[in-house]
Amino acid sequence: MAENGKSATEKVPAVANPLSEQPSEIASNINYHAQFSPHFSPFKFEPEQAFFATAESVRDRLVKQWNETFLHYHKVDPKQTYYLSMEYLQGRALTNAIGNLDIQNAYAEALNKLGHELEEIAEQEKDAALGNGGLGRLASCFLDSMATLNLPAWGYGLRYKYGLLKQLITKQGQEEIAEDWLEKFSPWEVVRHDIVFPVRFFGSIEINPDGSRKWVGGEVVQALAYDVPIPGYKTKNTISLRLWEAKGRAEDFNLFQFNDGQYESAAQLHSRAQQICAVLYPGDATEDGKLLRLKQQFFLCSASLQDIILRFKERRSGKGSWKWSEFPSKVAVQLNDTHPTLAIPELMRLLMDDERLGWDEAWDVTTRTIAYTNHTVLPEALEKWSQPVMWKLLPRHMEIIEEIDKRFLAMINATRPDLEHKLPTMRVLDHNPQKPVVRMANLCVVSAHTVNGVAQLHSDILKAELFADYVSIWPTKFQNKTNGITPRRWLRFCSPKLSNIITKWLKTDQWLTNLDLLSGLREFADNADFQDEWASAKMANKQRLAQYILRVTGVSIDPNSLFDIQVKRIHEYKRQLLNILGAIYRYKKLKEMSPELRKNTTSRTIMIGGKAFATYTNAKRIVKLVNDVGAVVNNDPEVNSYLKVVFVPNYNVSVAEMLIPGSELSQHISTAGMEASGTSNMKFALNGCLIIGTLDGANVEIREEIGEENFFLFGARADEVPQLRKDRENGLFKPDPRFEEAKQFIRSGAFGSYDYNPLLDSLEGNSGYGRGDYFLVGHDFPDYMDAQARVDEAYKDRKKWLKMSILSTAGSGKFSSDRTIAQYAKEIWNIEECQVP
């Protein structure tokens, strides 16, 4: 390859053609970057070098569009949205960028001229490790839609060096190592050395003679901006994801101490700064861990708001007089969950202490600027920060939060005396003497102009339960914005065959930006020719997936079996345990059958994937159990042609892009009322994969859109769950014998000697911490097994299954993030399209 690669590159002149769309000129531009933007020893042009040079060639185009977009916004000065999120799960950028720029064929041809295949080069890219799950991937889909809809919007996040974790699977189960996506460098980011803001921690408050206050002292780190370009689909608009990195300055390095041999203390501020963006969600069991997480959150909020305010002032300069009251007509800030809540007191601080506004004016500006998206009703995920920790790290912000709390109490006492008895739970500060905390969700609801949930069921639960008392004060503050996904990454680029068939039968590719057009596929659902094409595209995706599974796990799987997939963060409420218990029961029954009977069953390959948080013991036990079951089942010659169980390691966006197109059944089986929305359910449905699931999150709306006959429903409803838990506490639960049999089979040692009792104990007993089957696995098990039997029957009827699959895609139009973002733009942000000419 090296010789061949070398001669191919020698034939192509190394000439800069940054904006060309001609394959031969693109090849020259790639070769130009290989030689004149060198990152490796000369004369090497293996796939890795080819990837970096190709990415830099694409980046040339992006930088031009990006500069034009930035300039256009500066001239027009539209109202702009700033999306604050602790997580972004971008995935690979190369395929997406050349797809959105509509130059993938030219790049494929250019790489051929250089002796490489585009697909192999794209595989070289590491996923950006900036997120963990649905929250981060949603933010990334939103950026794609903002750019595609030509909306003036921008993302802000942190540049985590080591991500959350890279998952290795060993005999012990999951092991975690650091992500290595920045081990070399990311070719997409542009460091902005001129965009640096100071961010302070600790310190004290100085009171000036005029009564104004100033936060001083403590330690100050620098926030440096790295920009990642986000191209829209077939539009010039290219927006920014601005990621902050924390640094110390040269003057913060104590040369005297260093020369005195005190190396650690000489560089103390530098090493503390480096901790801030080292890891996503560092363990917070210790006081230091809590401080670090709080530092991360404040660092994101402070740097982003300083940047936003500076841009607002720059666009005003030279335009005559202006007032701070205009700020909310130019700036919308969206908080993605409670992690960036500190934006509220920080905006207040910047306006009052730096810009010298009074409280009322600052509060008016802040509350008209900030909106909040709630992503969870799980109590442990609704952030509550210790007041002593907050006073220590952010003394000025605690003063401001105290004032917000005080004024809220006064407002309720004056206008709603009927709610006085509810104040202890509604107020921002919880003064419980054992554990005084700041309730971040309450701070968001009190301060934001709009609060939204992320699926209809979730928003209804917020209004009826979690935030019910606030709804009576501010009935118009609460909205629903059902999540969506970008159809470019999640169908066009990850399943080109299926995508081409859709375009051929609809006689247009407009569905890529108007997903509702997919409903036009309904008229072909029974068409034999269409079904054959559909089936062959699905089979090609299954074969590609089978090759991938063999490569990463060593397990060989049969593309003719039913591919059944559950991939998501490992969490007890998502109930991977229900899935594996079902698989165990299935295995036991297959073992007991005669060979003749086995032949009548539906062959299945069950794939489960997802990362367990490093300190979440039960989640890690579930990962180990899946692997232990797989080791037994896949090596059992009596059964392994009818059932395989595979754990897919290190689940991320790129793995999802392989799994989802090849999936035929996917499991979205959380306890009803606990999954705010879910978005992988939308990706699977869009790819013609059928869902077995509960009435939870967006499952409810997916089932409405695709037709309930095309959805395998089971399980308790959200409104039944509280009573079922009460019944359990009162000893009224009668377990299904199949459920007992599955658990007993694990305890018998059938899957090895590991002690699974601590995991199984969570399903036992009627009450107590970590017991009493809080997530209703036992209650839903029989209904789940019956639904799985319906799946087996349906799969035997090929034409019926294909029709259901087609109708699933045809009903997915509502779930485009373009629709979601258009609703945010109109109903929350009040921003309008600003297309680059």
Side-chain angles (χ1 to χ4, degrees):
M1 176 69 221
E3 279 316 298
N4 173 18
K6 194 192 257 185
S7 58
T9 54
E10 279 168 1
K11 286 178 204 156
V12 174
V15 181
N17 295 298
L19 306 175
S20 177
E21 296 191 13
Q22 298 309 314
S24 57
E25 292 182 355
I26 289 174
S28 284
N29 198 53
I30 294 172
N31 205 10
Y32 171 83
H33 279 291
Q35 287 192 35
F36 297 108
S37 311
H39 304 286
F40 299 92
S41 315
F43 314 122
K44 239 190 188 176
F45 200 66
E46 308 286 307
E48 185 179 38
Q49 288 78 32
F51 160 68
F52 283 107
T54 303
E56 290 181 317
S57 172
V58 177
R59 196 181 81 170
D60 290 344
R61 268 287 289 274
L62 294 178
V63 166
K64 179 165 196 299
Q65 293 191 183
W66 200 10
N67 291 343
E68 286 172 1
T69 306
F70 188 84
L71 191 68
H72 184 61
Y73 288 174
H74 198 77
K75 280 205 274 246
V76 177
D77 190 26
K79 182 173 182 182
Q80 193 164 334
T81 291
Y82 299 99
Y83 196 82
L84 267 59
S85 180
M86 285 299 279
E87 290 188 43
Y88 291 88
L89 260 186
Q90 289 290 99
R92 290 179 176 146
L94 179 60
T95 325
N96 189 71
I98 59 178
N100 275 3
L101 294 168
D102 203 20
I103 47 175
Q104 58 269 69
N105 294 344
Y107 263 84
E109 213 180 303
L111 281 163
N112 285 153
K113 291 181 190 298
L114 294 164
H116 287 291
E117 292 292 322
L118 174 58
E119 205 155 307
E120 188 196 7
I121 298 309
E123 284 285 313
Q124 297 295 313
E125 182 173 0
K126 293 181 190 290
D127 279 37
L130 299 170
N132 174 27
L135 181 92
R137 185 53 231 171
L138 181 79
S140 294
C141 279
F142 278 3
L143 294 178
D144 183 85
S145 288
M146 288 165 183
T148 298
L149 294 171
N150 301 310
L151 290 168
W154 206 316
Y156 279 111
L158 296 182
R159 184 176 178 268
Y160 303 105
K161 189 171 180 186
Y162 300 116
L164 182 83
L165 60 99
K166 191 170 178 179
Q167 182 189 54
L168 302 180
I169 299 298
T170 66
K171 285 271 184 285
Q172 279 67 51
Q174 167 180 303
E175 290 189 10
E176 305 87 20
I177 57 171
E179 287 268 19
D180 57 357
W181 76 290
L182 286 176
E183 193 80 344
K184 292 197 170 83
F185 67 106
S186 163
W188 305 106
E189 59 185 20
V190 174
V191 58
R192 304 289 189 193
H193 290 289
D194 55 330
I195 297 177
V196 183
F197 295 100
V199 177
R200 187 182 307 274
F201 303 113
F202 308 110
S204 57
I205 294 141
E206 234 173 42
I207 303 173
N208 299 321
D210 63 355
S212 64
R213 307 173 87 78
K214 196 166 175 57
W215 182 25
V216 294
E219 64 181 43
V220 178
V221 300
Q222 307 300 314
L224 171 66
Y226 284 75
D227 283 348
V228 180
I230 310 289
Y233 179 70
K234 292 190 181 178
T235 172
K236 277 189 182 168
N237 284 50
T238 298
I239 62 172
S240 241
L241 167 57
R242 178 159 283 180
L243 302 169
W244 299 107
E245 177 172 73
K247 298 182 67 123
R249 293 172 307 180
E251 64 197 69
D252 299 319
F253 181 81
N254 191 321
L255 197 58
F256 178 84
Q257 284 187 332
F258 192 86
N259 286 327
D260 192 37
Q262 304 175 46
Y263 307 127
E264 271 79 23
S265 53
Q268 194 174 34
L269 191 94
H270 287 254
S271 71
R272 283 202 190 137
Q274 278 167 357
Q275 292 164 9
I276 294 173
C277 296
V279 171
L280 169 65
Y281 300 140
D284 59 354
T286 64
E287 172 90 1
D288 282 344
K290 289 185 178 65
L291 264 175
L292 182 56
R293 277 212 196 183
L294 202 52
K295 273 186 173 180
Q296 289 183 324
Q297 295 187 358
F298 179 66
F299 182 75
L300 169 65
C301 296
S302 182
S304 304
L305 283 168
Q306 290 181 68
D307 193 33
I308 291 165
I309 286 174
L310 181 66
R311 189 168 310 115
F312 170 77
K313 287 160 83 167
E314 278 175 352
R315 288 185 186 171
R316 309 272 86 55
S317 73
K319 288 192 180 171
S321 70
W322 57 272
K323 300 195 289 295
W324 277 104
S325 57
E326 297 163 26
F327 188 79
S329 65
K330 292 294 178 187
V331 173
V333 172
Q334 189 70 33
L335 309 181
N336 192 28
D337 212 345
T338 52
H339 311 125
T341 303
L342 290 166
I344 295 162
E346 174 64 354
L347 183 53
M348 288 293 288
R349 182 190 74 83
L350 290 166
L351 292 172
M352 291 192 301
D353 298 2
D354 291 6
E355 305 297 341
R356 311 313 293 261
L357 273 64
W359 178 278
D360 291 337
E361 200 185 347
W363 182 246
D364 175 65
V365 169
T366 299
T367 54
R368 288 193 295 128
T369 299
I370 290 179
Y372 158 60
T373 301
N374 171 280
H375 281 273
T376 183
V377 293
L378 294 183
E380 70 270 20
L382 287 169
E383 293 188 294
K384 296 178 179 67
W385 287 104
S386 143
Q387 289 186 30
V389 171
M390 292 263 297
W391 276 112
K392 182 171 159 186
L393 190 71
L394 303 167
R396 181 67 182 118
H397 299 79
M398 273 306 284
E399 288 189 335
I400 292 167
I401 291 167
E402 272 197 333
E403 187 66 22
I404 293 172
D405 184 57
K406 190 176 103 185
R407 288 176 183 239
F408 174 69
L409 296 184
M411 187 268 287
I412 296 298
N413 286 326
T415 61
R416 291 294 301 274
D418 57 309
L419 285 175
E420 267 180 55
H421 66 291
K422 295 275 182 69
L423 277 176
T425 56
M426 290 176 75
R427 62 183 297 181
V428 177
L429 296 175
D430 177 355
H431 288 304
N432 171 353
Q434 270 74 54
K435 202 181 171 197
V437 293
V438 182
R439 302 181 180 119
M440 299 317 243
N442 289 20
L443 179 54
C444 286
V445 174
V446 166
S447 312
H449 60 81
T450 307
V451 174
N452 73 284
V454 290
Q456 195 61 57
L457 173 70
H458 170 234
S459 297
D460 291 345
I461 291 172
L462 288 184
K463 287 191 343 194
E465 295 171 32
L466 198 64
F467 298 143
D469 295 324
Y470 299 108
V471 175
S472 74
I473 312 170
W474 298 295
T476 59
K477 185 179 276 205
F478 297 85
Q479 298 186 13
N480 174 55
K481 293 284 168 279
T482 298
N483 283 343
I485 56 168
T486 166
R488 276 78 61 182
R489 182 179 288 269
W490 293 113
L491 182 49
R492 179 70 194 100
F493 307 147
C494 70
S495 186
K497 281 199 176 75
L498 195 66
S499 171
N500 290 338
I501 292 166
I502 292 169
T503 296
K504 172 183 158 185
W505 284 78
L506 290 178
K507 297 189 169 60
T508 175
D509 66 356
Q510 292 292 302
W511 59 271
L512 279 161
T513 46
N514 179 5
L515 204 59
D516 290 330
L517 293 177
L518 289 179
S519 62
L521 295 175
R522 289 192 176 117
E523 63 175 287
F524 311 121
D526 287 307
N527 180 307
D529 293 339
F530 183 54
Q531 285 193 355
D532 286 345
E533 289 184 33
W534 193 266
S536 79
K538 286 300 284 185
M539 180 48 83
N541 287 334
K542 288 177 74 178
Q543 286 166 336
R544 184 181 69 149
L545 174 53
Q547 287 169 340
Y548 175 78
I549 294 294
L550 181 61
R551 193 171 88 233
V552 297
T553 68
V555 179
S556 146
I557 61 177
D558 177 9
N560 294 306
S561 64
L562 167 60
F563 279 12
D564 163 353
I565 299 184
Q566 185 184 21
V567 279
K568 46 188 86 247
R569 293 183 300 120
I570 310 290
H571 199 297
E572 284 164 288
Y573 88 81
K574 294 178 187 282
R575 299 201 295 190
Q576 286 91 351
L577 188 52
L578 175 60
N579 184 349
I580 195 64
L581 284 167
I584 287 166
Y585 185 79
R586 189 182 188 91
Y587 171 61
K588 188 166 187 288
K589 294 300 114 179
L590 279 166
K591 283 293 279 179
E592 292 163 3
M593 281 177 197
S594 67
E596 285 313 302
L597 273 177
R598 273 185 212 130
K599 286 188 181 127
N600 297 329
T601 63
T602 301
S603 292
R604 252 200 225 215
T605 301
I606 299 171
M607 293 171 246
I608 297 175
K611 295 176 181 178
F613 196 68
T615 53
Y616 188 173
T617 316
N618 263 358
K620 291 177 79 169
R621 287 183 180 124
I622 292 167
V623 173
K624 175 151 174 58
L625 179 59
V626 175
N627 281 288
D628 286 351
V629 171
V632 171
V633 173
N634 304 342
N635 294 302
D636 186 328
E638 287 184 318
V639 169
N640 64 12
S641 50
Y642 304 102
L643 179 65
K644 290 256 169 89
V645 174
V646 181
F647 188 88
V648 185
N650 202 40
Y651 181 58
N652 61 19
V653 175
S654 295
V655 176
E657 288 168 9
M658 184 75 67
L659 287 165
I660 292 170
S663 176
E664 295 171 287
L665 178 77
S666 75
Q667 305 209 26
H668 302 274
I669 56 179
S670 49
T671 314
M674 304 207 77
E675 186 72 87
S677 166
T679 42
S680 67
N681 45 7
M682 301 168 187
K683 292 160 197 163
F684 283 102
L686 178 65
N687 278 273
C689 170
L690 300 181
I691 292 175
I692 180 169
T694 50
L695 269 187
D696 197 18
N699 280 3
V700 178
E701 291 160 80
I702 292 172
R703 182 168 169 265
E704 277 167 16
E705 294 293 314
I706 68 174
E708 49 195 59
E709 67 284 359
N710 302 311
F711 188 105
F712 298 99
L713 181 71
F714 76 95
R717 310 294 195 258
D719 54 6
E720 299 166 351
V721 168
Q723 188 55 50
L724 287 166
R725 286 185 178 138
K726 278 207 183 75
D727 292 350
R728 175 79 184 229
E729 276 180 34
N730 296 326
L732 300 174
F733 173 67
K734 295 274 180 293
D736 186 89
R738 293 175 288 182
F739 181 58
E740 295 303 297
E741 203 178 325
K743 289 186 298 181
Q744 196 41 50
F745 199 42
I746 300 173
R747 290 194 171 109
S748 74
F751 304 107
S753 59
Y754 181 81
D755 179 13
Y756 281 108
N757 281 312
L759 176 63
L760 297 173
D761 283 349
S762 70
L763 306 173
E764 308 298 344
N766 295 328
S767 61
Y769 182 73
R771 287 174 65 81
D773 194 9
Y774 185 76
F775 300 102
L776 275 59
V777 177
H779 175 277
D780 282 355
F781 188 84
D783 203 10
Y784 174 68
M785 295 310 292
D786 297 346
Q788 288 286 19
R790 295 200 301 278
V791 170
D792 288 335
E793 277 315 296
Y795 195 70
K796 286 176 179 166
D797 182 343
R798 183 177 172 276
K799 284 191 80 67
K800 179 187 171 183
W801 187 274
L802 282 168
K803 179 180 179 176
M804 291 167 79
S805 169
I806 291 162
L807 289 172
S808 173
T809 300
S812 291
K814 174 179 177 177
F815 304 105
S816 169
S817 48
D818 297 347
R819 185 262 320 145
T820 312
I821 284 298
Q823 289 178 335
Y824 274 97
K826 187 165 172 256
E827 296 161 22
I828 298 181
W829 302 330
N830 194 24
I831 61 170
E832 281 167 2
E833 179 177 67
C834 186
Q835 186 162 8
V836 176

